[in-house]
């Protein structure tokens, strides 16, 4: 009897901890629209999520999953030059990304850590024996060197293959073979209440394993909008403990299948307080496949601007501003159409309420962005919608952000698309007043693009590219069109300082 009680203790402890953290999450999410003094003050839960009661797996399942997962999870150190570092960009993710060297990140560049120390640390997951590693975009952002350390303490310099701010996913590669790796699982078949484990390197503690359940699916916490104007957020929420340094680590089921990439926590103090969020594996896999094959993500767009009807606060605000009488509930309300976009060409109109994409119910914007974001240009989807109280459906051909239905690789991009900015000429009067012989004004910075990562902001003035004076966007395009190798850039920042930086031109 005594031995039986001892064997049950681990399950009792796991049950108590999971029950307590889940109760905390229910308390926070139950007060919809309330600030709660939390970093994320408003949530739009996916409609229809149901709790599925599941019995605790045996300890053998946890042990098996941990043995499979731990060797495939790595530590990633991000090294940045002082000129590339931007507190406003990095502070957002300090409590996901971690700063193992302590100190206040809001300090002058002269107080930044020396070049030979990493600016931050995160985690990554090996997904092939040839050394491909998936992590978060915010883990690798702004790096001029990425160092990967395996669970066996061997270290490598990694190459960044590509990253996607819209999903917060990045793909790296190290030159090694025969590595332990994880297989992608099917995140769509996961259930609320299902047992999972999270593996990463929180607070500098390598190969840490924590257990919990999936608390919810389809969570939108509106954090990626600070990286990109077109975020895709449909996170798996878990109460498995996640702390700074876990970002980019693995969320796996009890068979060791990769079902999510840990990305964020919601916390008052930057440390675990009951719930974390992971990018679903199906979305991460699609992004990785695109980056490997094309060097960039092939993202399809429906061509609509929408109001999330599951967001009561947003619906109330819309009704006040537009003097409408919309009711909150499931679906998304079309507020605008992109000219010659897929939706407009398929006959959708402003005022239609989208309720389904193919066979998937649209509870809110998180569902819509996830389903469409998992598609590619040229894909066709069946859109079910309500118009004047009647339900209809139509077939929509998705297009990319430029209106094309064809795939494009990095080689197909224009110069300005590759470097992530547009340029406007300076007036001659401006040049005379500020003592400039040349220069163009930087405009339309692409979040996560080269200029953004280098810390070059809107209204900076580029005066030279590769040692040549520039006075128009055409000048820059002429210099860099077909150019391969490192680019030298001289610019004037907001303080009037002339700075020189460099970057590798994407091929």
């Amino acid at each position: 009897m005594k031995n039986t009680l001892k064997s049950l203790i681990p399950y009792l402890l796991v049950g108590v901890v999971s029950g307590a953290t889940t109760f905390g999450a229910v308390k926070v999410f139950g007060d919809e629209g309330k600030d709660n003094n939390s970093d994320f003050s408003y949530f739009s839960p996916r409609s229809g999520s149901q709790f599925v009661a599941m019995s605790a797996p045996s300890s053998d399942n946890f042990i098996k999953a941990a043995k499979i997962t731990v060797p495939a999870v790595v530590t990633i150190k991000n090294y940045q030059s002082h000129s590339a570092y931007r507190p406003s960009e990095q502070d957002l993710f300090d409590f996901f990304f971690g700063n193992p060297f302590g100190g206040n990140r809001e300090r002058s560049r002269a107080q930044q850590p020396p070049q030979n120390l990493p600016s931050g640390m995160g985690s990554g997951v090996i997904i092939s024996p040839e050394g491909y590693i998936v992590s978060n975009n915010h883990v690798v952002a702004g790096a001029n060197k990425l160092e990967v350390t395996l669970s066996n303490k061997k270290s490598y310099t990694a190459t960044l293959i590509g990253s996607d701010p819209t999903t917060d996913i990045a793909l790296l590669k190290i030159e090694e073979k025969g590595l332990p790796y994880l297989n992608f699982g099917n995140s769509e078949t996961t259930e609320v209440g299902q047992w999972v484990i999270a593996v990463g390197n929180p607070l500098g503690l390598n190969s840490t394993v924590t257990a919990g359940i999936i608390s919810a699916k389809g969570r939108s916490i509106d954090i990626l909008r600070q990286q990109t104007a077109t975020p895709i957020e449909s996170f798996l929420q878990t109460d498995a403990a996640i702390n700074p340094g876990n970002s980019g680590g693995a969320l796996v089921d009890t068979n060791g299948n990769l079902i999510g990439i840990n990305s964020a926590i919601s916390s008052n103090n930057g440390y675990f307080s009951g719930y974390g969020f992971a990018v679903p594996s199906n979305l991460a896999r699609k992004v990785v496949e695109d980056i490997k094959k094309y060097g960039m993500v092939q993202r399809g767009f429906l061509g609509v601007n929408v109001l999330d009807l599951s967001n009561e606060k947003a619906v109330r605000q819309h009704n006040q501003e537009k003097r409408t009488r919309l009711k909150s509930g499931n679906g998304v309300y079309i507020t605008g159409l992109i000219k010659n976009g897929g939706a407009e060409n398929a006959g959708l109109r402003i005022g239609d309420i989208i309720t389904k994409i193919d066979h998937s119910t649209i509870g809110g914007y998180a569902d819509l962005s996830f389903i469409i974001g998992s598609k590619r240009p040229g894909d066709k989807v069946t859109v079910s919608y309500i118009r004047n109280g009647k339900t209809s459906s139509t077939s929509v051909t998705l297009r990319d952000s430029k209106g094309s239905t064809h795939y494009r690789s990095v080689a197909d991009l224009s110069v300005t698309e590759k470097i992530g900015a547009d340029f406007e000429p300076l007036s001659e009067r401006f040049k005379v007043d500020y003592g400039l012989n040349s220069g163009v004004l930087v405009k339309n910075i692409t979040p996560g693009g080269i200029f953004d990562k280098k810390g070059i902001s809107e209204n900076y003035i580029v005066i030279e590219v590769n040692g040549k004076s520039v006075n128009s966007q055409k000048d820059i395009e002429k210099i860099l069109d077909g150019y391969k190798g490192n680019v030298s850039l001289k610019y004037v920042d907001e303080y009037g300082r002339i700075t020189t930086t460099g970057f590798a031109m994407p091929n």
Side-chain angles (χ1 to χ4, degrees):
M1 180 66 177
K2 188 180 291 185
N3 290 335
T4 301
L5 287 173
K6 285 183 178 180
S7 66
L8 289 173
I9 287 174
Y11 307 113
L12 292 172
L13 288 174
V14 170
V16 170
V17 171
S18 296
T21 53
T22 303
F23 176 80
V26 170
K27 175 63 178 172
V28 171
F29 289 116
D31 297 331
E32 185 173 303
K34 205 171 183 178
D35 188 355
N36 288 308
N37 198 29
S38 173
D39 286 344
F40 305 132
S41 59
Y42 190 82
F43 295 81
S44 300
R46 177 175 177 173
S47 174
S49 290
Q50 297 180 356
F51 185 86
V52 179
M54 301 183 72
S55 60
S58 73
S59 61
D60 289 343
N61 293 100
F62 287 120
I63 293 170
K64 174 187 174 183
K67 284 184 176 179
I68 293 171
T69 307
V70 167
V73 175
V74 304
T75 300
I76 298 175
K77 294 180 181 178
N78 177 323
Y79 293 83
Q80 300 182 11
S81 65
H82 297 178
S83 61
Y85 178 81
R86 287 198 299 159
S88 60
E89 179 176 280
Q90 203 67 28
D91 288 345
L92 169 65
F93 291 109
D94 263 356
F95 60 98
F96 315 142
F97 193 32
N99 180 13
F101 305 103
N104 185 357
R105 295 299 288 263
E106 293 188 9
R107 51 193 170 185
S108 69
R109 295 189 181 192
Q111 294 173 304
Q112 293 304 317
Q115 182 99 11
N116 63 337
L117 290 180
S119 296
M121 294 176 65
S123 303
V125 184
I126 304 173
I127 56 171
S128 80
E130 292 80 26
Y132 282 102
I133 298 168
V134 63
S135 185
N136 289 141
N137 172 70
H138 75 258
V139 168
V140 303
N144 56 21
K145 177 186 175 184
L146 292 166
E147 182 180 278
V148 168
T149 302
L150 308 186
S151 62
N152 63 10
K153 310 303 181 187
K154 289 188 68 175
S155 293
Y156 304 79
T157 297
T159 300
L160 178 60
I161 305 300
S163 61
D164 178 36
T166 65
T167 56
D168 199 28
I169 291 296
L171 181 65
L172 295 73
K173 190 177 189 306
I174 59 174
E175 295 305 316
E176 187 59 276
K177 294 182 179 179
L179 294 169
Y181 66 97
L182 295 185
N183 291 310
F184 280 109
N186 184 359
S187 55
E188 280 299 295
T189 62
T190 58
E191 299 281 359
V192 174
Q194 175 179 327
W195 286 91
V196 293
I197 66 173
V199 181
N201 306 289
L203 307 173
L205 302 173
N206 293 339
S207 304
T208 296
V209 179
T210 56
I213 61 169
I214 292 178
S215 307
K217 297 174 67 176
R219 284 292 192 210
S220 174
I221 55 178
D222 204 29
I223 191 170
L224 297 185
R225 194 169 297 281
Q226 299 176 63
Q227 293 191 92
T228 173
T230 55
I232 301 176
E233 289 193 8
S234 188
F235 292 116
L236 298 176
Q237 181 186 321
T238 179
D239 66 358
I242 296 173
N243 274 297
N246 267 115
S247 279
L251 187 70
V252 302
D253 61 22
T254 52
N255 292 316
N257 294 311
L258 183 64
I259 59 171
I261 302 298
N262 298 322
S263 291
I265 58 177
S266 180
S267 172
N268 295 329
N269 58 16
Y271 297 96
F272 177 73
S273 59
Y275 37 94
F277 304 92
V279 179
S281 59
N282 287 16
L283 181 59
R285 176 170 49 198
K286 186 263 183 186
V287 170
V288 164
E289 289 172 351
D290 283 354
I291 291 174
K292 284 178 69 175
K293 188 171 183 180
Y294 304 102
M296 58 182 287
V297 177
Q298 305 296 321
R299 184 173 177 185
F301 287 86
L302 196 59
V304 294
N305 297 318
V306 298
L307 171 68
D308 185 349
L309 294 181
S310 72
N311 186 331
E312 291 185 12
K313 183 178 178 181
V315 172
R316 287 196 300 269
Q317 184 176 345
H318 179 87
N319 285 337
Q320 290 173 358
E321 293 176 353
K322 304 295 183 181
R323 299 185 182 276
T324 55
R325 295 182 180 179
L326 292 174
K327 294 181 179 179
S328 59
N330 290 340
V332 294
Y333 175 86
I334 298 178
T335 60
L337 294 165
I338 306 302
K339 187 173 179 58
N340 294 322
E344 184 183 69
N345 291 342
L348 289 170
R349 300 177 188 171
I350 293 174
D352 291 345
I353 298 173
I354 297 175
T355 58
K356 278 188 177 182
I357 299 292
D358 294 331
H359 300 293
S360 299
T361 299
I362 302 301
Y365 179 75
D367 294 330
L368 181 71
S369 66
F370 176 77
I371 294 170
I372 298 300
S374 299
K375 306 286 185 181
R376 297 180 173 93
D379 288 352
K380 293 185 178 181
V381 296
T382 299
V383 177
S384 299
Y385 61 95
I386 298 173
R387 180 185 296 167
N388 299 325
K390 295 182 179 180
T391 300
S392 303
S393 63
T394 186
S395 178
V396 178
T397 301
L398 304 181
R399 299 173 180 271
D400 69 9
S401 60
K402 300 297 182 181
S404 173
T405 58
H406 303 291
Y407 294 175
R408 295 197 299 164
S409 67
V410 174
D412 298 321
L413 301 180
S414 67
V415 166
T416 53
E417 285 177 315
K418 287 180 180 179
I419 63 179
D422 290 323
F423 306 93
E424 292 181 359
L426 295 176
S427 67
E428 291 303 318
R429 175 69 180 270
F430 186 95
K431 293 178 186 177
V432 171
D433 288 347
Y434 289 90
L436 297 173
N437 295 319
S438 63
V440 289
L441 206 61
V442 178
K443 293 291 183 181
N444 302 325
I445 295 286
T446 302
I450 289 177
F451 270 43
D452 186 43
K453 290 177 180 178
K454 286 294 178 182
I456 301 172
S457 300
E458 299 256 341
N459 297 320
Y460 279 22
I461 299 171
V462 174
I463 53 179
E464 287 185 8
V465 176
N466 284 349
K468 298 178 180 178
S469 298
V470 292
N471 289 289
S472 67
Q473 182 161 302
K474 286 186 177 180
D475 288 344
I476 294 178
E477 291 172 344
K478 184 177 180 180
I479 294 169
L480 296 181
D481 187 25
Y483 180 82
K484 296 180 181 180
N486 292 322
V487 176
S488 174
L489 197 75
K490 185 181 288 188
Y491 64 90
V492 181
D493 66 15
E494 73 268 36
Y495 301 108
R497 297 174 300 196
I498 296 178
T499 303
T500 300
T501 188
F503 59 87
M505 188 68 184
N507 296 324

